[in-house]
Amino acid sequence: MNLSTPIEEIPRIGPQYQKKLKKLGIKRVRGLLFHFPHRYEDFSNIVPISKIKINESCSIQGKILEIKNTRTWKKRMILTQAIVEDNSGAIKVIWFNQPYLINVLKGGDFVCLAGKMALRQGETYLSSPAYEKLTTYNLQPTTNNLIHTGRLVPVYPETEGLSSRWLRFILKPLLIKLKKEILESIPEKIRIKYQLLPIQKAIWQVHFPDSRKLAKAAKERFAFEELFNLSLSVLRERQRLRKERAIAIPLDLGLVKDFLKSLPFELTESQKKSAWQILKDLEKPRPMNRLLEGDVGSGKTVVAAMAALNVVKAGYQVAFMAPTEILAKQHFKTINELLKKFDIKIGLLTGDEKTEGEVDILIGTHALIQDQVKFRKLALVIVDEQHRFGVEQRAKLCQQKNFIPHLLSMTATPIPRTLSLTIYGDLDLSLITELPKGRKKIITKVIPPEKREGAYQFIRKQVKDGRQVFVICPRIESTNDKRQTTNDNKSSVVSRKSAVISWAEVKAVKDEYQKLSKEVFPDLKIGMLHGRMKTEEKEKIMRKFKQGKIDVLVSTSVVEVGIDVPNATLMMIEGAERFGLAQLHQFRGRVGRSKYQSFCFLFTDSPAKKTHQRLKALITSENGFELAEKDLEIRGPGDFSGSRQWGIPDIAMASLKDMFLVQNSRQAAKEILEEDPELKKYPLLKAKLEEFQQRVHLE
Ligand code: ADP
Ligand code: MG
């Protein structure tokens, strides 16, 4: 057996467990060993039985005097009761509903038990402790070979019904056997300079740490490694980009003026500034690498259109990529409208829509890449709300041999500074910092349950006034199918958190649709939208909503990005605690796009303090950047909305708050590349990096 052995071939892992592991994406031994605990239970305090204190975590070691099952009278619950003794005294132990324990633990066995002592009706007992048989016991406490008790015990994210106990049981022998095969890929001098644990020590300590300090050092080592690899990828790509050439697009001032004159509005100052930066970049014979970041509704599309116009009029082509079909179609319409006076051929390419022949601007989804479209004269790629877009991908899109297209990447997802530095390296940034004039502030409110009726009446009034309403629900159906996530866009990913939450209270689109259309607003036109619907169906609904043929649209998070329906003025969000702040802000950005006063109503059943803290932040701040930072602060980066989108590994994500680690890993990456740009001296690192890039899809 080795690190690449498939889990099916590991003894003691039956078909049921194989399935569960696969659901977590664990296919081989390596993946299993790199499945890390998210916290530790401290049972390292081994005390004599006579010294146990009520409600304090501890371990005891002793002999089982007797053990038996009894049945409680009221409930049909089985209690396993035991008496355990050491040389200081004896204690009663009770386990609930684990009758099989009497087959595992027998009178006369020596055990280590870990947990807390409870006091009930004057009686003390050890309540459902973790247990572990001792192989050696001579009345002296032992910590040898313990994995469930008597030490810092790893607790794994309990997803898909995999218990931590089972994982420890499987992991330990594997680690002992295969630890030596895990090779160090961090160059020795980096490892020493930055005081990182060697990998073999780290992998052991991350699972079975000897102290909190070592557990932390181990986690840090792995986080460093991920960030180091990320930085290496980003920096190497930058190196590569420096060598590439691009087509210089002369700035046509007359054309720019004509375009500005054709608009029904005047650009904001930061739109002008961003456009200028982009047009100046395009003039250079070196590929532009620019991120246009602006809050929802800040008007990024116009800026992109202006750049595209310049490129086309210089005789070259533009590719415009959107994350979903709905958005691709919307962009297609918008760009057509914006450039209608300029005699430009614009095409649309999505999963089911193909444009024949030569076009100046081709707008599409990922199909642009998948269909292996080759542009003859591609000079600019615009990507909306995507993750990264590598040099490789850019090169593949065009036929010209010696040039790669300029890249303009747009996002409304505000990226905290630490993150953008690490993910994009030194990508140039254009910021749109203000919204177009005349927009009214969106009134945001948390609606308590008793005011729900009032909110519905408010909806009715908005509709009577000719406005439209969004209702967002966290789920599609109210059944127990965990595969549905709150994020339709990322539907294949089950967040670790969501899997343990009871779904009972979570509002579901289908139920809500039923309720609203049958009971609450039988007289209004209600529509439904979710990620499981067929594309045409979604299109149809969106079109009807845009045309005003639907009054109230009940939807999942599919409407999150970019949908532009200016007549919608009310955004109602059910189960608001289920969404990240940045995401809620995105939803809110769907309204307030016209001269009408807009509203955002938040509903939540969660009494948690954090929830209210977060929702309050949303009420007081309209600034997406600020909210992203706050979200990072309150919820921690693990939950940071968009982390998946950027393909950042969880463990690196969790460390992004640690500026020190981020800077060090970046610095280390620079040092190595300066010394050896091709990593010729570091074949292991090079291989690791390739594997890393595949895993996080940087290209
Ligand atoms: P986003 O940055 O979220 O992609 P859009 O480009 O979709 O924003 O623009 C949102 C709306 O604002 C569109 O209807 C657009 O026509 C309008 N808009 C853009 N710039 C301005 C401006 N300077 N003044 C007024 N309206 C504008
Ligand atoms: Mg947009």
Side-chain angles (χ1 to χ4, degrees):
M1 187 158 43
N2 60 42
L3 294 173
S4 310
T5 304
I7 50 170
E8 289 87 350
E9 292 168 29
I10 305 174
R12 310 201 269 191
I13 301 188
Q16 280 303 322
Y17 280 105
Q18 289 168 18
K19 246 207 219 140
K20 291 175 180 175
L21 286 170
K22 287 209 170 129
K23 272 200 181 157
L24 288 179
I26 298 173
K27 297 190 203 88
R28 290 164 197 283
V29 171
R30 176 188 295 279
L32 198 51
L33 298 187
F34 280 81
H35 182 62
F36 292 160
H38 63 149
R39 63 183 184 91
Y40 304 90
E41 193 88 65
D42 192 350
F43 292 139
S44 58
N45 182 27
I46 304 180
V47 298
I49 286 174
S50 61
K51 295 270 165 63
I52 306 180
K53 293 194 190 109
I54 287 167
N55 263 334
E56 210 173 83
S57 280
C58 67
S59 294
I60 59 152
Q61 297 187 347
K63 184 169 152 181
I64 298 178
L65 295 184
E66 59 165 77
I67 181 163
K68 62 172 193 283
N69 282 342
T70 56
R71 205 172 268 276
T72 51
W73 57 100
K74 257 197 253 149
K75 295 174 202 155
R76 272 185 286 140
M77 179 152 50
I78 294 178
L79 300 185
T80 305
Q81 304 199 36
I83 306 287
V84 174
E85 175 192 68
D86 68 5
N87 54 6
S88 78
I91 187 169
K92 184 170 175 178
V93 184
I94 301 179
W95 286 278
F96 302 90
N97 276 339
Q98 300 179 62
Y100 57 87
L101 277 178
I102 57 164
N103 302 319
V104 185
L105 303 172
K106 308 262 184 208
D109 282 350
F110 291 106
V111 287
C112 189
L113 302 177
K116 287 178 182 168
M117 182 166 76
L119 171 67
R120 212 165 148 236
Q121 292 166 346
E123 191 191 36
T124 56
Y125 60 95
L126 207 53
S127 172
S128 283
Y131 59 89
E132 187 159 18
K133 278 202 219 184
L134 296 174
T135 42
T136 53
Y137 182 68
N138 48 12
L139 298 178
Q140 286 301 317
T142 173
T143 51
N144 274 354
N145 295 320
L146 293 178
I147 55 171
H148 306 301
T149 61
R151 57 169 303 126
L152 279 173
V153 172
V155 182
Y156 299 85
E158 306 227 339
T159 351
E160 303 297 340
L162 283 175
S163 77
S164 287
R165 191 178 174 93
W166 183 81
L167 277 164
R168 295 192 283 263
F169 162 75
I170 291 295
L171 274 165
K172 189 183 172 196
L174 285 174
L175 269 173
I176 290 175
K177 202 168 152 146
L178 296 172
K179 198 174 72 170
K180 288 256 151 27
E181 288 186 26
I182 301 176
L183 301 179
E184 183 64 83
S185 66
I186 299 182
E188 181 75 358
K189 62 176 164 202
I190 295 293
R191 200 179 62 64
I192 288 169
K193 177 168 175 190
Y194 294 96
Q195 299 178 7
L196 306 170
L197 288 189
I199 191 152
Q200 291 173 10
K201 179 165 184 187
I203 192 97
W204 181 267
Q205 291 296 330
V206 82
H207 289 290
F208 299 110
D210 292 331
S211 66
R212 288 244 178 233
K213 211 174 145 204
L214 276 165
K216 187 162 172 264
K219 279 219 160 153
E220 259 174 28
R221 183 235 132 86
F222 290 112
F224 184 100
E225 186 169 3
E226 299 274 283
L227 292 171
F228 177 62
N229 289 338
L230 193 61
S231 289
L232 277 174
S233 312
V234 166
L235 292 171
R236 289 190 84 199
E237 183 161 301
R238 178 119 188 127
Q239 276 175 359
R240 213 191 129 181
L241 199 61
R242 282 215 191 92
K243 293 186 205 138
E244 301 281 353
R245 300 189 57 76
I247 293 158
I249 304 293
L251 203 172
D252 184 344
L253 271 179
L255 183 65
V256 169
K257 280 194 188 131
D258 283 351
F259 177 72
L260 292 180
K261 252 189 268 156
S262 77
L263 293 177
F265 46 73
E266 195 177 333
L267 291 191
T268 61
E269 280 312 308
S270 45
Q271 275 175 319
K272 284 183 199 159
K273 190 171 160 204
S274 300
W276 183 253
Q277 288 169 334
I278 292 163
L279 294 173
K280 278 312 216 184
D281 270 6
L282 290 174
E283 280 192 311
K284 295 177 193 145
R286 300 203 5 231
M288 170 168 79
N289 205 29
R290 189 169 279 280
L291 181 67
L292 175 61
E293 197 170 308
D295 220 338
V296 279
S298 62
K300 296 182 288 293
T301 323
V302 196
V303 176
M306 200 193 298
L309 175 63
N310 253 269
V311 170
V312 171
K313 288 299 175 192
Y316 294 94
Q317 291 170 297
V318 178
F320 193 141
M321 237 168 74
T324 63
E325 303 209 14
I326 296 180
L327 282 175
K329 286 183 183 168
Q330 183 177 297
H331 278 316
F332 178 70
K333 266 180 80 178
T334 311
I335 302 282
N336 261 307
E337 181 65 29
L338 284 168
L339 300 180
K340 67 178 176 222
K341 302 204 178 84
F342 295 90
D343 185 29
I344 287 177
K345 203 154 178 269
I346 305 175
L348 180 64
L349 180 86
T350 62
D352 51 37
E353 200 120 1
K354 300 258 181 320
T355 304
E356 295 298 325
E358 194 96 329
V359 295
D360 300 312
I361 302 177
L362 185 57
I363 299 173
T365 52
H366 244 88
L368 280 182
I369 301 175
Q370 280 142 12
D371 288 11
Q372 313 222 308
V373 182
K374 289 270 187 202
F375 292 83
R376 228 160 40 79
K377 296 183 300 178
L378 184 66
L380 171 65
V381 176
I382 301 169
V383 248
D384 190 23
E385 291 299 349
Q386 295 276 314
H387 344 147
R388 298 167 33 91
F389 196 77
V391 179
E392 197 66 42
Q393 279 174 314
R394 280 202 230 180
K396 267 191 201 142
L397 275 175
C398 55
Q399 276 178 358
Q400 311 105 293
K401 282 270 149 54
N402 304 318
F403 296 101
I404 67 162
H406 296 284
L407 175 70
L408 175 63
S409 183
M410 305 195 287
T411 184
T413 319
I415 309 168
R417 184 76 192 126
T418 24
L419 219 55
S420 78
L421 207 75
T422 313
I423 301 166
Y424 294 108
D426 312 312
L427 193 88
D428 300 309
L429 198 62
S430 289
L431 286 178
I432 303 187
T433 51
E434 81 255 65
L435 293 181
K437 279 191 215 84
R439 297 263 173 90
K440 290 207 179 77
K441 190 176 161 156
I442 299 165
I443 297 173
T444 306
K445 280 186 182 164
V446 177
I447 309 290
E450 68 273 15
K451 299 250 171 85
R452 182 174 279 276
E453 243 349 277
Y456 285 149
Q457 275 165 29
F458 193 81
I459 289 187
R460 188 179 290 284
K461 182 156 182 311
Q462 288 286 311
V463 174
K464 284 267 148 65
D465 290 347
R467 304 286 85 74
Q468 287 163 283
V469 178
F470 285 105
V471 176
I472 306 289
C473 300
R475 302 195 70 222
I476 300 173
E477 261 160 317
S478 57
T479 60
N480 240 342
D481 181 357
K482 283 186 194 150
R483 265 168 312 166
Q484 287 177 22
T485 66
T486 56
N487 280 328
D488 278 358
N489 307 347
K490 305 150 201 163
S491 59
S492 59
V493 188
V494 178
S495 99
R496 289 194 177 146
K497 208 154 198 181
S498 64
V500 290
I501 285 173
S502 138
W503 288 103
E505 303 299 322
V506 180
K507 288 269 182 186
V509 164
K510 287 188 179 167
D511 294 354
E512 207 56 19
Y513 172 75
Q514 285 296 327
K515 189 180 116 190
L516 293 182
S517 56
K518 297 255 156 68
E519 296 163 26
V520 187
F521 303 122
D523 51 330
L524 303 186
K525 286 161 286 179
I526 317 286
M528 171 165 74
L529 189 74
H530 60 73
R532 290 249 181 111
M533 289 160 69
K534 291 219 179 67
T535 305
E536 311 92 77
E537 225 177 324
K538 279 191 277 190
E539 306 285 343
K540 203 176 99 198
I541 299 289
M542 268 323 293
R543 200 163 47 238
K544 280 172 85 177
F545 191 57
K546 278 191 151 191
Q547 293 166 345
K549 291 180 184 156
I550 289 175
D551 302 316
V552 179
L553 183 64
V554 187
S555 170
T556 54
S557 59
V558 282
V559 296
E560 184 183 349
V561 267
I563 298 296
D564 195 23
V565 183
N567 191 46
T569 51
L570 178 54
M571 169 60 68
M572 251 182 81
I573 303 169
E574 299 282 357
E577 76 281 359
R578 308 272 310 144
F579 301 101
L581 269 186
Q583 203 179 6
L584 288 171
H585 181 63
Q586 292 270 346
F587 291 145
R588 181 169 60 180
R590 295 307 109 218
V591 297
R593 295 177 156 244
S594 63
K595 58 180 199 276
Y596 305 110
Q597 176 62 55
S598 287
F599 304 86
C600 176
F601 290 169
L602 307 163
F603 291 84
T604 178
D605 297 327
S606 159
K609 210 173 127 205
K610 265 192 185 179
T611 302
H612 289 272
Q613 222 181 331
R614 286 174 51 230
L615 297 184
K616 211 170 143 209
L618 192 74
I619 291 170
T620 51
S621 177
E622 294 170 87
N623 181 323
F625 295 78
E626 215 174 281
L627 284 170
E629 302 278 357
K630 272 191 195 155
D631 216 10
L632 201 62
E633 234 168 72
I634 303 172
R635 297 213 304 177
D639 293 330
F640 184 68
S641 151
S643 70
R644 304 247 177 227
Q645 184 183 326
W646 291 312
I648 304 298
D650 284 0
I651 185 158
M653 218 34 231
S655 325
L656 280 167
K657 243 169 128 181
D658 188 345
M659 218 20 211
F660 195 60
L661 202 62
V662 170
Q663 279 165 354
N664 277 350
S665 54
R666 241 175 98 70
Q667 179 57 31
K670 278 189 188 155
E671 285 166 28
I672 285 296
L673 287 178
E674 262 162 41
E675 179 205 338
D676 181 7
E678 298 303 320
L679 301 177
K680 288 204 178 92
K681 281 192 245 166
Y682 304 107
L684 277 175
L685 177 59
K686 198 169 174 179
K688 188 72 184 264
L689 204 57
E690 266 151 30
E691 180 250 324
F692 174 85
Q693 278 164 344
Q694 292 224 325
R695 178 158 52 94
V696 306
H697 315 293
L698 288 179
E699 291 269 338

